[in-house]
Amino acid sequence: MLHLPLLLLFLQYPLIQAGGYLELRLKSAFPLNATIEITDGIYFPTNKRTYSMPLVPDETRILTNIPVRFRHPGTVLVNSGPVEKFGLEYETIRSERWNTIQMTIGPDEIHLPFTGFRIDVKCDRNWYGPYCDQFCNADVAKTINRRCTETGTLGCPDHYYGPKCDKLINHNWRKCQCQNGGFCVSSFPRMSDPTLGTVKDSLICECPVGFEGGKCEKESYEYAEPITVEMYGTDHKWDNLQQFYNRSLVENELRDLDSF
């Protein structure tokens, strides 16, 4: 029979709907009033949501907690607003999400007037896995000295393994040779009771975004099409706009959040 904390950990699973959300970050070199449109579907968009995002030069703005449908495509459309001195009426950034999974969309470079663009699809709290459809109650797991792995199973605290979580993981072991920044962790079979001290756990690799496989040896399939950028301007300033476009490609300052 399951212990009460473990029973609560799993009994909540059928009662809560899985899900996640989209988070969008923008940064500009100019004052702009950007407009963001987010829809489900590609060719026949539905559930259109429109947001206004005033931008101040060199400050990052965040739009978050936008629900997404996993395993379904969607479109994110960003319109910049005018930058008159370059003849720009508006710039459009279009990103199409195919077969939505937990992911990050952020090109290495972006066109001015934007200096930063990033989309993250994240899981709601206590939901795990690429489609955010595996439930594990992180708070209850802590009460029994366990953690929720990225796949939604129970595991020992970081760096430990074994039925009682009292053995130190040697990351040089052959079975623990995770590649591409993967991290070796313990994982108990789902619906087992590791608090009894008799259930054998296994060692798995938790992979960083962009990699998968038993040892994180494979690059994940890119579910998101590359973003497209288009600029629109007035006819009498077309030459200015063309020159602006040709010289406006800059490093995306939000590509790696750890660097900024």
Side-chain angles (χ1 to χ4, degrees):
M1 182 176 181
L2 289 177
H3 290 248
L4 183 57
L6 212 48
L7 183 64
L8 293 176
L9 189 71
F10 292 106
L11 281 183
Q12 295 180 56
Y13 181 86
L15 305 179
I16 309 173
Q17 184 177 359
Y21 61 95
L22 182 146
E23 189 170 87
L24 172 69
R25 286 177 167 84
L26 282 177
K27 189 175 181 180
S28 172
F30 302 88
L32 295 174
N33 188 22
T35 301
I36 297 97
E37 294 180 1
I38 300 175
T39 59
D40 296 330
I42 301 294
Y43 302 109
F44 303 99
T46 60
N47 192 25
K48 179 179 176 180
R49 290 149 289 176
T50 303
Y51 306 89
S52 179
M53 181 182 285
L55 298 177
V56 175
D58 301 322
E59 290 187 11
T60 301
R61 292 294 307 274
I62 302 175
L63 184 64
T64 189
N65 294 325
I66 302 170
V68 297
R69 295 179 63 199
F70 285 88
R71 303 177 192 269
H72 291 80
T75 302
V76 177
L77 191 69
V78 178
N79 288 322
S80 70
V83 182
E84 295 181 358
K85 71 181 203 175
F86 298 114
L88 178 69
E89 290 187 353
Y90 65 95
E91 175 181 299
T92 296
I93 302 176
R94 180 182 178 90
S95 175
E96 295 178 342
R97 300 175 288 112
W98 300 86
N99 196 21
T100 305
I101 63 168
Q102 189 178 178
M103 68 168 83
T104 295
I105 304 171
D108 293 331
E109 297 178 309
I110 191 68
H111 281 277
L112 293 173
F114 295 108
T115 55
F117 172 86
R118 179 186 175 101
I119 293 173
D120 288 287
V121 179
K122 301 180 179 182
C123 294
D124 290 331
R125 177 170 170 76
N126 292 332
W127 291 97
Y128 300 85
Y131 298 102
C132 300
D133 56 357
Q134 300 299 316
F135 180 78
C136 181
N137 191 315
D139 292 332
V140 176
K142 288 181 181 179
T143 67
I144 57 172
N145 192 33
R146 301 294 183 268
R147 64 182 287 271
C148 294
T149 70
E150 290 184 359
T151 59
T153 61
L154 279 180
C156 293
D158 288 342
H159 308 295
Y160 290 90
Y161 80 105
K164 297 182 179 180
C165 296
D166 55 354
K167 298 180 180 180
L168 189 64
I169 293 177
N170 183 340
H171 291 275
N172 294 321
W173 287 351
R174 180 175 300 176
K175 69 176 78 174
C176 278
Q177 289 180 345
C178 306
Q179 303 174 23
N180 298 304
F183 191 70
C184 188
V185 300
S186 141
S187 175
F188 291 95
R190 182 170 286 277
M191 296 304 296
S192 64
D193 187 354
T195 61
L196 294 177
T198 58
V199 181
K200 181 176 175 57
D201 60 339
S202 58
L203 294 176
I204 63 173
C205 289
E206 288 189 336
C207 303
V209 175
F211 294 94
E212 60 186 9
K215 293 186 177 181
C216 309
E217 74 280 6
K218 298 186 295 184
E219 288 192 30
S220 301
Y221 178 78
E222 180 58 72
Y223 284 93
E225 287 289 295
I227 68 169
T228 58
V229 176
E230 296 177 348
M231 292 187 182
Y232 302 86
T234 55
D235 292 338
H236 67 280
K237 289 188 176 181
W238 176 252
D239 289 341
N240 288 354
L241 181 61
Q242 188 67 39
Q243 292 180 29
F244 176 65
Y245 179 82
N246 292 337
R247 300 175 182 177
S248 66
L249 197 61
V250 297
E251 180 181 357
N252 180 7
E253 295 183 3
L254 300 180
R255 178 66 182 91
D256 184 357
L257 293 182
D258 293 334
S259 300
F260 298 92

